Amino acid sequence: MSTECAYDSIAVVGTGGYGWHFISALLATRKFARVRAVTRKTSDDAKHKRLQALRQMGAEIFEYKSSRTESFKQAFNGIHTVISAVSIAAVPDQISMIDGAILANVRWFIPSEYGVAHYPSVWMPFTSPMAPKMAVQKYLSEYAKSKGLSHTVIYTGLALDYLDPQSLGLKLSKGSATLVGRGGSPVSFTAFPDVVSLVVDIVQRPAEMQNRVIRFAGSTTKMRELVKIVTNNDRGENVKIVCIEEAKAKFCELARRQDMSAFQMYSRLLIEEGLGQINRYREPLDNGLFPELHPEPIQKTLRRLIKANETTAKVKVKANPAHRSTTVKSVTDGIGQTQRQLDDEN
């Protein structure tokens, strides 16, 4: 039987993306006696190096072979708080995680969200790809809470420096963009480092933060405002407009082919519908609960990404001067359609 755990024991499920940065930041606070990285066992060399680096930083490592309740019970033994940082493909596994957490006497579970809130779509009247996330939230509130497991749902909007900007139609290297619709709906954004800082702050305040939804937005702006920054003009130059019906048809085509870019198209339709704003129905933002966090505005994030893109391009040219010739390369039209065209790589 699991022993009662202290508030300073914490496990993070997932060691890539957000998971790595959550673990690193938690260790850096030096306020947790135990920080455990929980990850699926693999033979991947790159992942082994990542785990070794975490171990050297002071993290415990637990590798599981299957997403069964018993595996997670073992993974969470002696842990008070679990942060899930799994990818969207692994979201359904969180049900087993929750069951394992209950059996291990975990007291607080934070599901993998750190994105947009789940509002019903009028434009897309069918099961959302986000349905598994909603099922996890329902399981936490209707079942796990009655078993003594608290939870916190964290919505932060989009992290442009975590996503590929091109998935939103922003082509930084080209200084061009593709908009679905007019790009006039508000969208919530929070920079990647600010999401990490927010989560680390939250887990240090259990009594205040448990059993609630946290809505934190670094910025709220419209896609067409970001397009102006990418294209460096407000005249609509280098901007392709895709009408809503055309985008819907493209999504359905991609979905039928089980093309992964269908999810990008779906997301862009939801953004234009207004579902990219984490407080669409005027729910209060919780930024005021975190006065020491000063999030980076999305405009600054985007300019930072553009500058980094330009620097990378210059380095490539210096390293490969022969690459100055015109070559055929693959590009996207912004809605998932790949085409071939002649393009000067410089």
Side-chain angles (χ1 to χ4, degrees):
M1 183 174 179
S2 300
T3 58
E4 187 66 23
C5 46
Y7 275 82
D8 60 356
S9 58
I10 192 164
V12 178
V13 185
T15 57
Y18 274 119
W20 166 274
H21 292 275
F22 287 158
I23 296 165
S24 301
L26 289 165
L27 289 168
T29 67
R30 298 185 179 277
K31 293 182 178 179
F32 296 90
R34 171 179 289 174
V35 177
R36 184 179 298 166
V38 178
T39 186
R40 184 180 292 275
K41 193 174 184 62
T42 179
S43 59
D44 181 69
D45 288 340
K47 186 172 183 180
H48 284 163
K49 290 179 180 178
R50 190 162 69 241
L51 294 179
Q52 182 59 28
L54 289 174
R55 187 177 285 111
Q56 291 174 352
M57 292 163 60
E60 298 178 4
I61 306 296
F62 185 97
E63 296 180 88
Y64 60 92
K65 293 182 179 180
S66 65
S67 302
R68 296 183 304 170
T69 297
E70 184 60 31
S71 296
F72 290 119
K73 176 187 175 183
Q74 295 174 16
F76 302 148
N77 185 46
I79 294 295
H80 175 276
T81 302
V82 172
I83 302 174
S84 175
V86 299
S87 67
I88 191 168
V91 163
D93 293 345
Q94 291 183 118
I95 299 297
S96 295
M97 283 182 212
I98 294 165
D99 289 339
I102 292 170
L103 293 175
N105 241 354
V106 171
R107 290 291 176 259
W108 192 10
F109 188 92
I110 299 176
S112 183
E113 288 289 344
Y114 330 116
V116 297
H118 310 313
Y119 297 118
S121 169
V122 175
W123 292 358
M124 312 294 276
F126 48 78
T127 302
S128 164
M130 296 295 184
K133 287 196 171 189
M134 292 184 279
V136 168
Q137 288 189 29
K138 184 176 181 181
Y139 196 70
L140 282 166
S141 60
E142 296 185 2
Y143 173 72
K145 187 178 178 181
S146 68
K147 299 296 182 180
L149 181 64
S150 298
H151 67 278
T152 304
V153 175
I154 305 171
Y155 294 134
T156 53
L158 304 179
L160 198 60
D161 47 351
Y162 182 70
L163 301 168
D164 176 2
Q166 187 160 306
S167 68
L168 299 181
L170 304 174
K171 306 170 190 176
L172 308 190
S173 62
K174 301 287 186 181
S176 63
T178 301
L179 273 177
V180 171
R182 297 171 59 86
S185 298
V187 187
S188 302
F189 292 94
T190 304
F192 182 92
D194 295 325
V195 175
V196 175
S197 297
L198 174 69
V199 172
V200 171
D201 191 323
I202 286 172
V203 296
Q204 295 178 68
R205 300 155 65 180
E208 183 183 357
M209 297 295 169
Q210 290 179 357
N211 295 319
R212 64 182 299 172
V213 174
I214 298 293
R215 299 175 192 269
F216 183 97
S219 303
T220 300
T221 191
K222 300 174 181 178
M223 285 301 302
R224 62 189 180 206
E225 298 303 317
L226 301 187
V227 166
K228 292 178 184 179
I229 295 174
V230 172
T231 60
N232 200 30
N233 72 84
D234 59 2
R235 299 182 298 276
E237 297 174 4
N238 299 322
V239 180
K240 177 180 178 179
I241 305 296
V242 179
C243 71
I244 301 301
E245 294 307 316
E246 180 185 351
K248 288 181 182 179
K250 189 65 186 179
F251 164 75
C252 291
E253 177 190 337
L254 293 169
R256 280 195 297 271
R257 300 204 309 257
Q258 297 185 327
D259 189 316
M260 289 300 294
S261 59
F263 183 73
Q264 296 179 4
M265 187 80 270
Y266 180 84
S267 299
R268 290 163 68 183
L269 280 163
L270 294 189
I271 286 172
E272 181 60 14
E273 188 180 351
L275 306 185
Q277 185 177 10
I278 61 174
N279 60 331
R280 187 189 186 199
Y281 296 113
R282 299 187 179 181
E283 300 95 331
L285 291 178
D286 296 303
N287 291 39
L289 296 175
F290 309 94
E292 295 184 3
L293 294 185
H294 305 286
E296 180 181 66
I298 182 58
Q299 295 82 359
K300 185 175 181 179
T301 302
L302 182 54
R303 290 189 174 96
R304 170 165 58 84
L305 294 174
I306 291 171
K307 184 176 181 180
N309 188 278
E310 292 172 347
T311 300
T312 301
K314 289 178 181 178
V315 170
K316 286 183 178 179
V317 169
K318 287 183 179 179
N320 301 284
H323 250 183
R324 296 181 181 277
S325 60
T326 301
T327 58
V328 177
K329 64 185 292 189
S330 180
V331 299
T332 174
D333 67 0
I335 58 171
Q337 177 85 28
T338 300
Q339 55 188 18
R340 304 288 287 180
Q341 71 174 33
L342 284 172
D343 180 50
D344 192 323
E345 290 196 344
N346 297 317

